[in-house]
Amino acid sequence: MSARRGAAGLGAATVLALTAGCGMLGIGEEKDKASEEERLVEMLNESSRIEAEMAAAEWRVVQNCLEEAGFTVHEPWMTESYEPEEVDSLTYGYPHEGFILDAEEAAEYGFGGWANAPEGWESTEAEDYYAFQEEKYEEEEGGGMEESEVDTSAWDALTPEEQYGWYVAYQGAEYAEYANGTEQDYIDMMAGEEEWAEETEGLSEEELVALEEEAAAEEEGEIVVEESMEDEEPMPGGCQLEMIEALYGEPTLVEETYEGEDGKEETWSYWSSGPENPAYTSETMYEDIEAEYTAAMSDLQGEFIDCITAAGYEGWEFTEYNGLPTWEFFDALYYQNTSEEDQAMMGGDSSVEVPPLPEDAGDSFEEWKAYEIQMAVDFAECGEEVGYVEPSEKAYDAANTKAYAAIEEDVYAWQEEMNDALSKAQELLDA
C-alpha cells in the first residue's frame, strides 16, 4: 500500500469513528462530502502533475537519442513543456447551463444562437457577445492556459531535407511517411508554404482574406485525386520507439469499435505505450454520472418541462446528457432558408431531435432573434420558479464524486506505475 493511499484510508477510518455516534442526526455529513471531494480533486491534480513530469522526461530521453545521432536542432513544438492546470472541482460545467442562463444575460443576449446565424455572425453585436463570453470565461475559469511564443528560427533555418531527416530519426521512416508524406512530398509542401509567405508578405488582413477567397474560388470545381493511405497507423520507430521500450516495454496495438453511419460498427486502431490513466479510460464512468444525475433530477426535469410548455414552448425533451437542445434548435431556426450544404455543416452529425419550428417565431432574422431572447428569459424564469439550479449543481457534484471515488484505487495504482517509469527515465538520463 502506498503512503498516499494509506493516509487516505486512515483519514476515512478516523472520520467514521468520530461520526459513528451521530450519523442519524447527519452531523458532519456535509463536511465529510467536502473532504471526500477535496481528496479526489487532489488526486486529479497529482495525476496532472505526474503526466506533465512524465511528458518532459520522455522528451529528454528522446532528445538525448536524437542528439547522439547528430540531430541537435529539434522541431520547436516538441521542446515546449507545459504547466499542469490545476482544478478545484470534480465538475466541469453543469447540464443546466445550456438552457438556464442568468436573467440579465438571457435578456441581453438570449442563448447566443443569433450570433452564429448567417445574418448575425459578422455583426458588431456578435463581436460584443463573444467579447462578453470571453470575459465571463476569464472570470469563471481564470482564462485558462496562456499560450507562449515559440522560437522557430533554428528549425526554420534547416532545409526541408534536414527537417524530414529529423522526423525519420524521431519516429522512423515508415511513420515519417505516414505523417508527412514522402520526402519529396514534404519538400514540395514546404516550397509551397514559402511561396505563399512571400506572396502575402506585407498584406493587410482584408487583402489576405481576399487572396484566400480568390485561391479557394480557383480550386472550386477542380477534381482532386487523393492518394490512398493506410488506415492503420504504423508503429512508431526511431528514437521514440527506443524511449517507449526503455520505459514501458513494447507498444501495443489497440483496436476500438464505434457506431458509424447507418448504425454500422466501425473500428479504428492506435498504438498505446505505458499505463493509461483510469480517469480517461473508464468505459462507463460518464454514463454512470449521467444516470446518477438523471435519477436525482427526474422529478424537477418534469416540472421544468411542464413550466416551459405552459409558457408556450412545446415539444421539448431532455437529451441523454440531461440538457435541452437549444443550440441545435436555433441552428435549425436560423439556417432554415439556407442551402442544404450550410444546413448539414451547422447540424453536423447531431442526431438530437428538436421541437418543430414554431410559427410565432416569425420569418425574419430580427423576429427570430427576438423570439430567442424571449425564450431564454422564459426558460430562466421557469428555472427560478421550479428551483432547478441549486439541486442540479448538488446532484451533479454528488454524481461526479461517486464516479471518481469508484476509480480512486485504480488511479492511485496508475500513479505508482507512472512514478516507477519516472524513476527509469531518471536512471537513463543520469547514465
Side-chain angles (χ1 to χ4, degrees):
M1 177 181 291
S2 70
R4 181 182 179 84
R5 216 182 311 172
L10 178 61
T14 304
V15 169
L16 286 172
L18 292 174
T19 60
C22 52
M24 292 181 66
L25 299 176
I27 299 174
E29 184 177 347
E30 291 298 321
K31 185 177 180 180
D32 290 349
K33 289 180 180 178
S35 176
E36 181 179 29
E37 182 180 16
E38 288 172 2
R39 185 184 74 247
L40 295 170
V41 166
E42 175 54 30
M43 176 188 76
L44 296 185
N45 286 329
E46 176 65 14
S47 293
S48 294
R49 288 190 287 270
I50 290 173
E51 286 171 336
E53 191 174 349
M54 194 69 237
E58 288 178 352
W59 166 244
R60 289 196 298 271
V61 173
V62 169
Q63 182 178 358
N64 283 354
C65 171
L66 288 167
E67 293 185 355
E68 287 175 5
F71 295 90
T72 57
V73 176
H74 305 290
E75 201 278 331
W77 293 102
M78 288 297 300
T79 63
E80 286 296 294
S81 60
Y82 71 93
E83 290 295 325
E85 187 174 2
E86 292 201 348
V87 298
D88 55 13
S89 171
L90 300 175
T91 305
Y92 184 79
Y94 295 97
H96 64 263
E97 291 177 337
F99 60 93
I100 299 179
L101 306 178
D102 173 79
E104 292 185 7
E105 179 181 347
E108 178 73 16
Y109 299 111
F111 295 107
W114 58 270
N116 197 48
E119 301 92 337
W121 68 275
E122 288 187 314
S123 65
T124 55
E125 291 84 357
E127 292 178 5
D128 293 341
Y129 170 71
Y130 287 118
F132 163 77
Q133 290 294 337
E134 185 175 346
E135 183 179 343
K136 187 171 84 167
Y137 175 78
E138 290 177 353
E139 290 177 358
E140 294 177 353
E141 307 295 338
M145 297 175 65
E146 294 185 5
E147 293 186 5
S148 59
E149 291 291 330
V150 178
D151 182 7
T152 66
S153 56
W155 176 261
D156 294 338
L158 298 179
T159 66
E161 291 87 348
E162 290 171 326
Q163 292 178 358
Y164 195 85
W166 185 93
Y167 286 120
V168 171
Y170 170 46
Q171 290 182 303
E174 186 179 3
Y175 202 98
E177 183 169 342
Y178 170 82
N180 302 288
T182 65
E183 182 178 27
Q184 190 59 51
D185 290 335
Y186 187 79
I187 293 170
D188 294 342
M189 178 187 69
M190 298 305 292
E193 289 184 4
E194 186 176 345
E195 290 175 6
W196 176 259
E198 292 175 356
E199 187 177 354
T200 58
E201 185 177 4
L203 295 182
S204 66
E205 185 175 348
E206 291 77 9
E207 290 172 326
L208 182 59
V209 170
L211 190 60
E212 289 174 342
E213 290 177 349
E214 181 181 343
E218 290 176 358
E219 292 178 4
E220 189 174 351
E222 292 183 2
I223 299 175
V224 179
V225 179
E226 297 184 358
E227 295 183 7
S228 61
M229 293 182 62
E230 292 291 335
D231 291 332
E232 186 175 294
E233 177 187 20
M235 186 174 76
C239 287
Q240 187 180 50
L241 180 61
E242 286 190 27
M243 176 274 294
I244 291 171
E245 290 176 334
L247 300 184
Y248 308 115
E250 191 77 11
T252 56
L253 184 64
V254 178
E255 282 197 352
E256 301 281 359
T257 60
Y258 64 96
E259 187 176 307
E261 295 181 5
D262 302 324
K264 294 181 180 178
E265 186 176 273
E266 305 283 349
T267 62
W268 68 286
S269 60
Y270 62 93
W271 288 93
S272 174
S273 59
E276 296 184 317
N277 189 338
Y280 306 149
T281 59
S282 172
E283 295 182 359
T284 63
M285 178 175 170
Y286 296 106
E287 289 84 352
D288 292 344
I289 290 173
E290 296 301 331
E292 190 80 14
Y293 175 83
T294 301
M297 292 295 295
S298 58
D299 289 344
L300 271 178
Q301 287 179 347
E303 291 180 30
F304 184 84
I305 293 296
D306 289 343
C307 182
I308 62 173
T309 300
Y313 304 97
E314 299 181 353
W316 287 86
E317 295 181 358
F318 280 91
T319 69
E320 61 179 316
Y321 300 108
N322 291 290
L324 292 179
T326 53
W327 195 260
E328 292 88 345
F329 175 81
F330 286 108
D331 277 346
L333 183 68
Y334 290 116
Y335 281 82
Q336 60 181 295
N337 297 324
T338 61
S339 67
E340 291 184 5
E341 290 79 8
D342 285 344
Q343 291 179 27
M345 178 184 69
M346 296 313 302
D349 295 326
S350 175
S351 58
V352 175
E353 292 188 10
V354 299
L357 299 181
E359 293 182 3
D360 59 354
D363 53 15
S364 69
F365 170 73
E366 291 302 327
E367 289 176 310
W368 295 337
K369 181 179 178 182
Y371 179 87
E372 176 186 349
I373 291 174
Q374 185 60 53
M375 176 174 148
V377 170
D378 291 339
F379 275 33
E381 289 179 352
C382 278
E384 181 71 22
E385 182 178 326
V386 304
Y388 197 96
V389 171
E390 185 176 350
S392 172
E393 291 177 350
K394 287 183 176 180
Y396 209 59
D397 287 341
N400 275 273
T401 299
K402 182 176 180 180
Y404 280 105
I407 63 169
E408 183 176 12
E409 290 299 314
D410 291 336
V411 172
Y412 288 145
W414 169 84
Q415 289 179 357
E416 290 180 356
E417 288 187 81
M418 292 297 284
N419 282 322
D420 289 342
L422 277 168
S423 297
K424 290 181 183 178
Q426 192 59 53
E427 290 173 5
L428 288 173
L429 294 169
D430 291 341

